[in-house]
Amino acid sequence: QPKLIMSLNDPLLGNNSAMHAEKKVFYLNLTILDAKAAVKAKVLNKIQERQAKRHVKAPKFVQKRVANSLASVASAVVKPHKIAEMLGPRLEKLLPYLLREKGITVAVDMVFIEDTYVVWELQVSYDLCLC
């Protein structure tokens, strides 16, 4: 799974709301059904990173038990609507950057968020090249 190196505060991400009234748009919808696996994976990753930095390490079986217990607690506490609230604005900034890497220029605006449902409005900029 590739990691994104660019920060959300990177100036290259810029302002995404460059929508043109005369151009067509389409909508990207996301509903988060279950966030337990994502939260658990994130917690396990954080714990492994911290364990690697420690000078005195616990036995592996203890590390795994503690990590799994903490991940289970975190996944029970963090609800899908919190994930949606966090992802909405982040993806609004990340989508143009990620699509630009694929050669697609888009403007993105988050237009709706309620509970676990997020909607973004996207508008593709077509650059005609007569090469």
Side-chain angles (χ1 to χ4, degrees):
Q1 188 174 15
K3 288 189 175 182
L4 183 66
I5 297 173
M6 181 172 278
S7 163
L8 285 176
N9 297 324
D10 196 301
L12 287 177
L13 292 175
N15 186 2
N16 299 323
S17 55
M19 296 279 185
H20 297 284
E22 68 277 358
K23 291 185 179 180
K24 293 184 179 183
V25 297
F26 68 95
Y27 295 91
L28 176 63
N29 305 301
L30 173 71
T31 303
I32 299 176
L33 301 175
D34 185 15
K36 288 182 182 180
V39 172
K40 192 170 185 174
K42 182 78 170 178
V43 170
L44 289 174
N45 188 24
K46 288 270 189 189
I47 290 171
Q48 287 173 351
E49 287 175 3
R50 289 185 180 167
Q51 286 291 337
K53 294 178 183 177
R54 297 184 83 181
H55 297 290
V56 179
K57 296 181 181 177
K60 289 282 185 193
F61 75 93
V62 173
Q63 288 179 17
K64 285 184 180 181
R65 276 197 176 157
V66 170
N68 284 330
S69 296
L70 289 173
S72 295
V73 169
S75 66
V77 171
V78 178
K79 301 296 180 199
H81 68 90
K82 290 291 183 189
I83 302 291
E85 288 174 4
M86 181 185 68
L87 270 180
R90 286 185 181 186
L91 284 177
E92 182 179 11
K93 290 184 177 186
L94 284 176
L95 283 171
Y97 173 74
L98 295 173
L99 291 171
R100 193 175 323 137
E101 285 186 336
K102 304 285 185 196
I104 303 168
T105 305
V106 296
V108 179
D109 282 326
M110 186 175 68
V111 293
F112 183 79
I113 184 167
E114 184 178 310
D115 198 30
T116 62
Y117 186 64
V118 186
V119 179
W120 296 273
E121 183 178 61
L122 287 86
Q123 188 174 69
V124 178
S125 298
Y126 298 98
D127 296 327
L128 185 59
C129 178
L130 301 173
C131 304

Coordinates of all heavy atoms in Angstrom, one line a residue, residues 16-105:
N16 N -8.8 24.3 -4.2 CA -9.4 23.4 -5.2 C -10.7 23.9 -5.7 O -11.3 23.4 -6.7 CB -9.8 22.0 -4.5 CG -8.5 21.4 -4.0 OD1 -7.5 21.4 -4.7 ND2 -8.6 20.7 -2.9
S17 N -11.2 25.0 -5.2 CA -12.5 25.5 -5.7 C -12.4 26.4 -6.9 O -12.7 27.6 -6.8 CB -13.3 26.2 -4.5 OG -12.4 27.2 -4.0
A18 N -12.0 25.8 -8.0 CA -11.8 26.6 -9.2 C -12.9 26.1 -10.2 O -12.6 25.8 -11.4 CB -10.4 26.4 -9.8
M19 N -14.1 26.0 -9.7 CA -15.2 25.5 -10.6 C -15.7 26.5 -11.5 O -15.7 27.7 -11.2 CB -16.4 25.1 -9.7 CG -16.2 24.0 -8.7 SD -16.3 22.4 -9.5 CE -16.1 21.3 -8.2
H20 N -16.1 26.1 -12.7 CA -16.6 27.0 -13.7 C -18.1 26.7 -13.9 O -18.4 25.5 -14.2 CB -15.8 26.8 -15.1 CG -14.4 27.2 -15.0 ND1 -14.0 28.5 -14.9 CD2 -13.3 26.4 -14.9 CE1 -12.6 28.5 -14.8 NE2 -12.2 27.2 -14.8
A21 N -18.9 27.7 -13.9 CA -20.4 27.5 -14.0 C -20.8 26.9 -15.3 O -21.8 26.1 -15.3 CB -21.1 28.8 -13.7
E22 N -20.1 27.1 -16.4 CA -20.5 26.6 -17.7 C -20.1 25.2 -17.9 O -20.6 24.5 -18.9 CB -20.0 27.5 -18.8 CG -18.5 27.5 -19.0 CD -17.7 28.5 -18.1 OE1 -18.4 29.1 -17.2 OE2 -16.5 28.5 -18.1
K23 N -19.2 24.6 -17.1 CA -18.7 23.2 -17.3 C -19.6 22.2 -16.5 O -20.1 22.6 -15.4 CB -17.3 23.1 -17.0 CG -16.4 23.9 -17.9 CD -14.9 23.6 -17.6 CE -14.0 24.3 -18.5 NZ -12.6 24.1 -18.2
K24 N -19.7 21.0 -17.0 CA -20.4 20.0 -16.3 C -19.6 19.5 -15.1 O -18.4 19.5 -15.1 CB -20.7 18.8 -17.3 CG -21.7 19.2 -18.4 CD -22.0 18.1 -19.2 CE -23.0 18.5 -20.3 NZ -23.4 17.4 -21.1
V25 N -20.3 18.9 -14.2 CA -19.7 18.4 -13.0 C -20.3 16.9 -12.8 O -21.3 16.6 -13.4 CB -20.0 19.2 -11.7 CG1 -19.4 20.6 -11.8 CG2 -21.5 19.3 -11.4
F26 N -19.6 16.2 -12.0 CA -20.1 14.9 -11.5 C -19.8 14.8 -10.0 O -19.1 15.5 -9.5 CB -19.5 13.7 -12.3 CG -18.1 13.4 -12.1 CD1 -17.7 12.5 -11.2 CD2 -17.1 14.1 -12.8 CE1 -16.3 12.2 -11.0 CE2 -15.7 13.9 -12.6 CZ -15.3 12.9 -11.7
Y27 N -20.5 13.8 -9.4 CA -20.5 13.7 -8.0 C -19.9 12.4 -7.6 O -20.2 11.3 -8.2 CB -21.9 13.9 -7.4 CG -22.4 15.2 -7.6 CD1 -23.2 15.5 -8.8 CD2 -22.1 16.3 -6.8 CE1 -23.6 16.8 -9.0 CE2 -22.6 17.5 -7.0 CZ -23.4 17.8 -8.1 OH -23.8 19.1 -8.4
L28 N -19.0 12.4 -6.6 CA -18.4 11.2 -6.0 C -19.0 11.0 -4.6 O -18.9 12.0 -3.8 CB -16.9 11.4 -5.9 CG -16.1 10.3 -5.3 CD1 -16.2 9.0 -6.0 CD2 -14.6 10.7 -5.1
N29 N -19.6 9.9 -4.4 CA -20.3 9.6 -3.1 C -19.5 8.5 -2.3 O -19.1 7.6 -2.9 CB -21.7 9.1 -3.4 CG -22.5 10.0 -4.2 OD1 -22.7 11.2 -3.8 ND2 -23.0 9.6 -5.3
L30 N -19.5 8.7 -1.0 CA -18.8 7.7 -0.2 C -19.6 7.5 1.1 O -20.0 8.5 1.7 CB -17.4 8.2 0.2 CG -16.6 7.4 1.2 CD1 -16.2 6.1 0.6 CD2 -15.5 8.2 1.8
T31 N -19.9 6.2 1.3 CA -20.6 5.9 2.6 C -19.7 4.9 3.3 O -19.2 3.9 2.8 CB -21.9 5.2 2.3 OG1 -22.7 6.0 1.5 CG2 -22.6 4.8 3.6
I32 N -19.4 5.3 4.5 CA -18.5 4.4 5.4 C -19.4 3.5 6.2 O -20.2 3.9 7.0 CB -17.6 5.3 6.3 CG1 -16.7 6.2 5.4 CG2 -16.8 4.4 7.2 CD1 -15.9 7.1 6.2
L33 N -19.3 2.2 5.9 CA -20.1 1.2 6.5 C -19.5 0.7 7.8 O -20.2 0.5 8.8 CB -20.4 0.1 5.6 CG -21.1 0.5 4.3 CD1 -21.2 -0.7 3.3 CD2 -22.4 1.1 4.5
D34 N -18.2 0.4 7.8 CA -17.6 -0.2 8.9 C -16.1 0.3 9.0 O -15.3 0.1 8.0 CB -17.6 -1.7 8.9 CG -17.0 -2.3 10.1 OD1 -16.9 -1.7 11.1 OD2 -16.7 -3.6 10.1
A35 N -15.8 1.0 10.0 CA -14.4 1.6 10.2 C -13.5 0.8 11.1 O -12.4 1.1 11.3 CB -14.5 3.0 10.7
K36 N -14.0 -0.3 11.6 CA -13.2 -1.1 12.6 C -11.9 -1.6 12.0 O -10.8 -1.4 12.7 CB -14.0 -2.3 13.1 CG -15.1 -1.9 14.0 CD -15.9 -3.1 14.5 CE -17.0 -2.6 15.4 NZ -17.8 -3.7 15.9
A37 N -11.9 -2.1 10.8 CA -10.6 -2.7 10.3 C -9.6 -1.5 10.0 O -8.4 -1.7 10.3 CB -10.9 -3.4 9.0
A38 N -10.1 -0.4 9.5 CA -9.2 0.7 9.2 C -8.6 1.3 10.5 O -7.4 1.6 10.6 CB -9.9 1.8 8.5
V39 N -9.4 1.4 11.5 CA -8.9 2.0 12.8 C -8.0 1.0 13.4 O -6.9 1.4 13.9 CB -10.1 2.2 13.8 CG1 -9.6 2.6 15.2 CG2 -11.0 3.4 13.2
K40 N -8.3 -0.3 13.4 CA -7.4 -1.3 14.0 C -6.1 -1.3 13.3 O -5.0 -1.4 14.0 CB -8.1 -2.7 13.9 CG -7.4 -3.7 14.7 CD -8.2 -5.0 14.8 CE -7.6 -6.0 15.7 NZ -8.4 -7.2 15.9
A41 N -6.1 -1.2 12.0 CA -4.8 -1.2 11.2 C -4.0 0.0 11.6 O -2.7 -0.1 11.7 CB -5.1 -1.3 9.7
K42 N -4.6 1.2 11.7 CA -3.9 2.4 12.0 C -3.3 2.3 13.4 O -2.1 2.7 13.6 CB -4.9 3.6 11.9 CG -4.3 4.9 12.2 CD -3.6 5.4 11.0 CE -3.2 6.9 11.2 NZ -2.4 7.4 10.1
V43 N -4.0 1.8 14.4 CA -3.5 1.7 15.7 C -2.3 0.7 15.8 O -1.3 1.0 16.4 CB -4.6 1.2 16.7 CG1 -4.1 0.9 18.1 CG2 -5.6 2.4 16.9
L44 N -2.5 -0.5 15.1 CA -1.4 -1.4 15.1 C -0.2 -0.9 14.5 O 1.0 -1.1 15.0 CB -1.9 -2.7 14.3 CG -2.9 -3.6 15.1 CD1 -3.4 -4.7 14.1 CD2 -2.3 -4.1 16.3
N45 N -0.3 -0.1 13.4 CA 0.8 0.5 12.7 C 1.5 1.5 13.7 O 2.8 1.5 13.8 CB 0.4 1.3 11.5 CG 1.5 1.8 10.6 OD1 2.6 1.2 10.7 ND2 1.3 2.8 9.8
K46 N 0.7 2.4 14.4 CA 1.3 3.3 15.3 C 2.1 2.6 16.5 O 3.2 3.1 16.8 CB 0.2 4.2 15.9 CG -0.4 5.2 15.0 CD 0.4 6.5 15.1 CE -0.4 7.5 14.3 NZ 0.4 8.7 14.1
I47 N 1.5 1.6 17.0 CA 2.2 0.8 18.1 C 3.5 0.2 17.6 O 4.5 0.3 18.3 CB 1.2 -0.2 18.6 CG1 0.1 0.5 19.4 CG2 1.9 -1.2 19.6 CD1 -1.0 -0.4 19.8
Q48 N 3.5 -0.4 16.4 CA 4.7 -0.9 15.9 C 5.8 0.1 15.7 O 6.9 -0.1 15.9 CB 4.4 -1.7 14.5 CG 3.6 -3.0 14.7 CD 3.2 -3.6 13.4 OE1 3.3 -3.0 12.4 NE2 2.7 -4.8 13.5
E49 N 5.4 1.3 15.2 CA 6.4 2.4 15.0 C 7.0 2.8 16.3 O 8.2 3.0 16.4 CB 5.7 3.6 14.4 CG 5.3 3.5 12.9 CD 4.6 4.7 12.4 OE1 4.3 5.6 13.2 OE2 4.2 4.6 11.2
R50 N 6.1 2.9 17.4 CA 6.7 3.3 18.7 C 7.5 2.2 19.3 O 8.5 2.5 20.0 CB 5.5 3.6 19.6 CG 4.9 4.9 19.2 CD 3.8 5.4 20.2 NE 3.2 6.6 19.7 CZ 2.2 7.2 20.2 NH1 1.5 6.6 21.1 NH2 1.7 8.3 19.7
Q51 N 7.1 0.9 19.1 CA 7.9 -0.2 19.6 C 9.3 -0.2 19.0 O 10.3 -0.5 19.7 CB 7.2 -1.5 19.4 CG 6.0 -1.8 20.3 CD 6.4 -2.0 21.7 OE1 7.5 -2.4 22.0 NE2 5.5 -1.8 22.6
A52 N 9.4 0.1 17.7 CA 10.7 0.1 17.0 C 11.6 1.2 17.6 O 12.9 1.0 17.6 CB 10.5 0.3 15.5
K53 N 11.1 2.2 18.2 CA 11.9 3.3 18.7 C 12.4 3.1 20.1 O 13.3 3.7 20.6 CB 11.2 4.6 18.6 CG 10.9 5.1 17.2 CD 10.1 6.4 17.2 CE 9.8 6.8 15.8 NZ 8.9 8.0 15.8
R54 N 11.7 2.1 20.8 CA 12.1 1.9 22.2 C 13.4 1.1 22.4 O 13.7 0.3 21.6 CB 11.0 1.1 22.9 CG 9.6 1.8 22.9 CD 8.6 1.0 23.6 NE 8.8 1.3 25.0 CZ 8.1 0.8 26.0 NH1 7.1 -0.1 25.7 NH2 8.3 1.1 27.2
H55 N 14.1 1.5 23.4 CA 15.4 0.8 23.7 C 15.2 -0.6 24.4 O 15.8 -1.5 24.0 CB 16.3 1.7 24.6 CG 16.6 3.0 24.0 ND1 17.5 3.1 22.9 CD2 16.2 4.2 24.2 CE1 17.6 4.3 22.5 NE2 16.9 5.1 23.3
V56 N 14.2 -0.6 25.3 CA 13.9 -1.9 26.0 C 12.6 -2.4 25.4 O 11.5 -1.7 25.4 CB 13.7 -1.7 27.5 CG1 13.3 -3.0 28.2 CG2 15.0 -1.1 28.1
K57 N 12.6 -3.5 24.8 CA 11.4 -4.1 24.1 C 10.8 -5.2 24.9 O 11.5 -6.1 25.4 CB 11.8 -4.5 22.7 CG 12.2 -3.3 21.8 CD 12.6 -3.8 20.4 CE 13.0 -2.5 19.7 NZ 13.5 -2.8 18.4
A58 N 9.5 -5.3 24.9 CA 8.8 -6.4 25.5 C 8.9 -7.6 24.5 O 9.1 -7.4 23.4 CB 7.4 -6.0 25.8
P59 N 8.6 -8.8 25.1 CA 8.6 -10.0 24.2 C 7.5 -9.8 23.1 O 6.5 -9.1 23.3 CB 8.2 -11.1 25.2 CG 8.6 -10.6 26.5 CD 8.5 -9.1 26.5
K60 N 7.7 -10.4 22.0 CA 6.8 -10.3 20.9 C 5.3 -10.6 21.2 O 4.4 -9.9 20.8 CB 7.3 -11.1 19.7 CG 8.5 -10.6 19.0 CD 8.2 -9.5 18.1 CE 9.5 -9.0 17.4 NZ 9.3 -7.8 16.7
F61 N 5.1 -11.7 21.9 CA 3.8 -12.1 22.2 C 3.1 -11.1 23.1 O 1.9 -10.9 23.0 CB 3.7 -13.5 22.9 CG 4.2 -13.6 24.3 CD1 3.2 -13.5 25.3 CD2 5.5 -13.8 24.7 CE1 3.6 -13.5 26.7 CE2 5.9 -13.8 26.0 CZ 4.9 -13.7 27.0
V62 N 3.8 -10.4 24.0 CA 3.2 -9.4 24.8 C 2.9 -8.2 24.0 O 1.8 -7.6 24.1 CB 4.2 -9.0 26.0 CG1 3.7 -7.8 26.7 CG2 4.4 -10.2 26.9
Q63 N 3.8 -7.8 23.1 CA 3.6 -6.7 22.2 C 2.3 -6.9 21.4 O 1.5 -6.0 21.2 CB 4.7 -6.5 21.2 CG 6.0 -5.9 21.8 CD 7.1 -5.8 20.8 OE1 6.9 -5.8 19.6 NE2 8.3 -5.7 21.3
K64 N 2.1 -8.1 20.8 CA 1.0 -8.4 20.0 C -0.3 -8.4 20.8 O -1.3 -7.8 20.3 CB 1.1 -9.8 19.3 CG 2.1 -9.8 18.2 CD 2.1 -11.1 17.5 CE 3.1 -11.1 16.4 NZ 3.2 -12.4 15.6
R65 N -0.3 -8.9 22.0 CA -1.5 -8.9 22.8 C -1.9 -7.5 23.2 O -3.1 -7.1 23.1 CB -1.3 -9.7 24.1 CG -1.5 -11.2 23.9 CD -1.7 -11.8 25.3 NE -2.0 -13.2 25.1 CZ -1.8 -14.2 25.9 NH1 -1.3 -13.9 27.1 NH2 -2.2 -15.4 25.7
V66 N -0.9 -6.7 23.6 CA -1.2 -5.3 24.0 C -1.7 -4.5 22.8 O -2.7 -3.8 22.8 CB 0.0 -4.6 24.6 CG1 -0.2 -3.1 24.7 CG2 0.3 -5.2 25.9
A67 N -1.1 -4.7 21.6 CA -1.5 -4.0 20.4 C -2.9 -4.4 20.0 O -3.7 -3.5 19.6 CB -0.5 -4.3 19.3
N68 N -3.2 -5.7 20.0 CA -4.5 -6.1 19.6 C -5.6 -5.6 20.6 O -6.7 -5.2 20.2 CB -4.6 -7.6 19.5 CG -3.9 -8.1 18.3 OD1 -3.9 -7.5 17.2 ND2 -3.4 -9.3 18.3
S69 N -5.3 -5.6 21.9 CA -6.2 -5.0 22.9 C -6.5 -3.6 22.6 O -7.7 -3.1 22.6 CB -5.7 -5.2 24.3 OG -5.6 -6.6 24.6
L70 N -5.4 -2.8 22.5 CA -5.6 -1.4 22.2 C -6.3 -1.1 20.9 O -7.2 -0.2 20.8 CB -4.2 -0.7 22.2 CG -3.6 -0.5 23.5 CD1 -2.1 0.0 23.4 CD2 -4.3 0.3 24.5
A71 N -6.0 -1.9 19.9 CA -6.7 -1.7 18.6 C -8.2 -2.0 18.7 O -9.0 -1.3 18.1 CB -6.0 -2.6 17.5
S72 N -8.5 -3.0 19.5 CA -9.9 -3.4 19.7 C -10.7 -2.3 20.4 O -11.8 -1.9 20.0 CB -10.1 -4.7 20.4 OG -9.5 -5.8 19.7
V73 N -10.1 -1.7 21.4 CA -10.7 -0.6 22.2 C -10.9 0.6 21.2 O -12.0 1.2 21.2 CB -9.9 -0.3 23.4 CG1 -10.4 1.0 24.0 CG2 -9.9 -1.4 24.4
A74 N -9.9 0.9 20.5 CA -9.9 2.1 19.6 C -11.0 1.9 18.5 O -11.8 2.8 18.2 CB -8.6 2.3 18.9
S75 N -11.1 0.7 18.0 CA -12.1 0.5 16.9 C -13.5 0.5 17.5 O -14.4 0.8 16.8 CB -11.8 -0.8 16.2 OG -12.0 -1.9 17.1
A76 N -13.7 0.2 18.8 CA -15.0 0.3 19.4 C -15.4 1.7 19.7 O -16.5 2.1 19.6 CB -15.0 -0.5 20.6
V77 N -14.4 2.6 19.9 CA -14.6 4.0 20.3 C -14.8 4.8 19.1 O -15.7 5.7 19.1 CB -13.4 4.5 21.2 CG1 -13.5 6.0 21.4 CG2 -13.4 3.8 22.5
V78 N -14.0 4.7 18.1 CA -14.0 5.5 16.9 C -15.2 5.0 16.0 O -15.1 3.9 15.5 CB -12.7 5.5 16.1 CG1 -12.8 6.3 14.9 CG2 -11.6 6.0 17.0
K79 N -16.2 5.8 15.8 CA -17.3 5.5 15.0 C -17.2 5.9 13.5 O -16.4 6.8 13.2 CB -18.6 6.1 15.6 CG -18.8 5.8 17.0 CD -19.1 4.3 17.1 CE -19.4 3.9 18.6 NZ -19.2 2.5 18.9
P80 N -17.9 5.3 12.6 CA -17.8 5.6 11.2 C -18.0 7.1 10.9 O -17.4 7.6 10.0 CB -18.8 4.7 10.5 CG -18.9 3.5 11.4 CD -18.7 4.1 12.8
H81 N -18.9 7.7 11.6 CA -19.2 9.1 11.3 C -18.0 10.0 11.6 O -17.8 11.0 10.9 CB -20.5 9.6 12.0 CG -20.4 9.7 13.5 ND1 -20.0 10.9 14.1 CD2 -20.6 8.8 14.4 CE1 -20.0 10.7 15.4 NE2 -20.3 9.4 15.6
K82 N -17.2 9.6 12.6 CA -16.0 10.4 12.8 C -15.0 10.2 11.7 O -14.3 11.2 11.4 CB -15.4 9.9 14.2 CG -16.2 10.3 15.4 CD -16.1 11.8 15.6 CE -16.8 12.2 16.8 NZ -17.0 13.7 16.9
I83 N -14.9 9.1 11.1 CA -14.0 8.8 10.0 C -14.5 9.7 8.8 O -13.7 10.3 8.1 CB -14.0 7.3 9.6 CG1 -13.6 6.5 10.8 CG2 -13.1 7.1 8.4 CD1 -12.1 6.6 11.2
A84 N -15.8 9.7 8.6 CA -16.3 10.5 7.5 C -16.0 12.0 7.7 O -15.6 12.7 6.7 CB -17.8 10.3 7.4
E85 N -16.2 12.5 8.9 CA -15.9 13.9 9.2 C -14.4 14.2 8.9 O -14.0 15.3 8.5 CB -16.2 14.2 10.6 CG -17.7 14.3 10.9 CD -18.0 14.5 12.4 OE1 -17.0 14.6 13.2 OE2 -19.2 14.5 12.8
M86 N -13.5 13.2 9.2 CA -12.1 13.4 9.0 C -11.7 13.3 7.5 O -10.9 14.1 7.0 CB -11.3 12.4 9.8 CG -9.8 12.5 9.7 SD -9.0 11.2 10.6 CE -9.4 9.8 9.6
L87 N -12.3 12.3 6.8 CA -11.9 12.1 5.5 C -12.5 13.1 4.5 O -11.8 13.4 3.5 CB -12.5 10.7 5.0 CG -11.6 9.5 5.2 CD1 -12.3 8.2 4.7 CD2 -10.3 9.6 4.6
G88 N -13.6 13.7 4.7 CA -14.3 14.6 3.8 C -13.3 15.7 3.4 O -13.0 15.9 2.2
P89 N -12.9 16.6 4.3 CA -12.0 17.7 4.0 C -10.6 17.2 3.5 O -10.1 17.8 2.6 CB -11.8 18.4 5.3 CG -13.0 18.0 6.1 CD -13.3 16.6 5.7
R90 N -10.1 16.1 4.0 CA -8.8 15.6 3.5 C -8.9 15.2 2.1 O -8.0 15.5 1.3 CB -8.3 14.5 4.4 CG -7.9 14.9 5.7 CD -7.3 13.7 6.5 NE -6.9 14.2 7.8 CZ -6.2 13.4 8.6 NH1 -5.9 12.2 8.3 NH2 -5.8 13.9 9.8
L91 N -9.9 14.4 1.7 CA -10.0 14.0 0.3 C -10.3 15.1 -0.6 O -9.9 15.1 -1.8 CB -11.0 12.9 0.2 CG -10.6 11.5 0.7 CD1 -11.7 10.5 0.6 CD2 -9.4 11.0 -0.1
E92 N -11.0 16.2 -0.1 CA -11.2 17.3 -1.0 C -9.9 17.9 -1.4 O -9.8 18.4 -2.5 CB -12.0 18.4 -0.2 CG -12.4 19.6 -1.0 CD -13.2 20.6 -0.1 OE1 -13.3 20.4 1.1 OE2 -13.7 21.6 -0.7
K93 N -8.9 17.9 -0.6 CA -7.6 18.4 -0.9 C -6.7 17.4 -1.7 O -5.9 17.8 -2.5 CB -6.8 18.9 0.3 CG -7.4 20.1 1.0 CD -6.5 20.5 2.1 CE -7.1 21.8 2.7 NZ -6.2 22.3 3.8
L94 N -6.9 16.1 -1.3 CA -6.0 15.1 -1.9 C -6.4 14.6 -3.3 O -5.6 14.3 -4.1 CB -5.9 13.9 -1.0 CG -5.1 14.0 0.2 CD1 -5.2 12.8 1.1 CD2 -3.6 14.2 -0.2
L95 N -7.7 14.6 -3.6 CA -8.2 14.1 -4.9 C -7.6 14.8 -6.1 O -7.1 14.2 -7.0 CB -9.7 14.1 -5.0 CG -10.4 13.0 -4.2 CD1 -11.9 13.3 -4.2 CD2 -10.1 11.7 -4.8
P96 N -7.5 16.2 -6.1 CA -6.9 16.8 -7.2 C -5.4 16.5 -7.4 O -5.0 16.3 -8.5 CB -7.0 18.3 -6.9 CG -8.2 18.4 -6.0 CD -8.1 17.1 -5.2
Y97 N -4.7 16.4 -6.3 CA -3.3 16.0 -6.4 C -3.1 14.6 -6.9 O -2.3 14.3 -7.8 CB -2.7 16.1 -5.0 CG -1.2 15.6 -4.9 CD1 -0.2 16.3 -5.5 CD2 -1.0 14.4 -4.4 CE1 1.1 15.8 -5.5 CE2 0.3 13.9 -4.4 CZ 1.3 14.6 -4.9 OH 2.6 14.1 -4.9
L98 N -3.9 13.6 -6.4 CA -3.7 12.2 -6.8 C -4.1 12.0 -8.2 O -3.5 11.3 -9.0 CB -4.6 11.3 -5.9 CG -4.1 11.3 -4.4 CD1 -5.1 10.5 -3.6 CD2 -2.7 10.6 -4.3
L99 N -5.2 12.7 -8.7 CA -5.6 12.6 -10.1 C -4.7 13.3 -11.0 O -4.5 12.9 -12.1 CB -7.1 13.1 -10.2 CG -8.1 12.2 -9.6 CD1 -9.5 12.9 -9.6 CD2 -8.2 10.9 -10.2
R100 N -4.1 14.4 -10.5 CA -3.1 15.2 -11.3 C -1.9 14.3 -11.6 O -1.3 14.3 -12.7 CB -2.6 16.4 -10.6 CG -1.9 17.4 -11.5 CD -1.5 18.7 -10.9 NE -2.5 19.2 -10.0 CZ -2.3 19.7 -8.7 NH1 -1.1 19.8 -8.3 NH2 -3.3 20.1 -8.0
E101 N -1.5 13.4 -10.7 CA -0.5 12.4 -10.9 C -0.8 11.5 -12.1 O 0.1 10.9 -12.8 CB -0.2 11.6 -9.7 CG 0.6 12.4 -8.6 CD 1.0 11.5 -7.5 OE1 0.3 10.4 -7.2 OE2 1.9 11.8 -6.8
K102 N -2.1 11.3 -12.3 CA -2.6 10.4 -13.4 C -2.8 11.2 -14.7 O -3.3 10.6 -15.6 CB -3.9 9.7 -13.0 CG -3.8 8.9 -11.7 CD -3.0 7.6 -11.9 CE -3.0 6.8 -10.6 NZ -2.0 5.8 -10.6
G103 N -2.6 12.5 -14.6 CA -2.8 13.3 -15.8 C -4.2 13.9 -16.0 O -4.5 14.4 -17.0
I104 N -4.9 13.9 -14.9 CA -6.3 14.4 -14.9 C -6.3 15.6 -14.0 O -6.0 15.5 -12.8 CB -7.3 13.4 -14.4 CG1 -7.2 12.1 -15.3 CG2 -8.7 13.9 -14.4 CD1 -8.0 10.9 -14.7
T105 N -6.8 16.7 -14.5 CA -6.9 18.0 -13.7 C -8.3 18.1 -13.3 O -9.2 18.2 -14.2 CB -6.4 19.2 -14.5 OG1 -5.1 18.9 -15.0 CG2 -6.4 20.4 -13.7

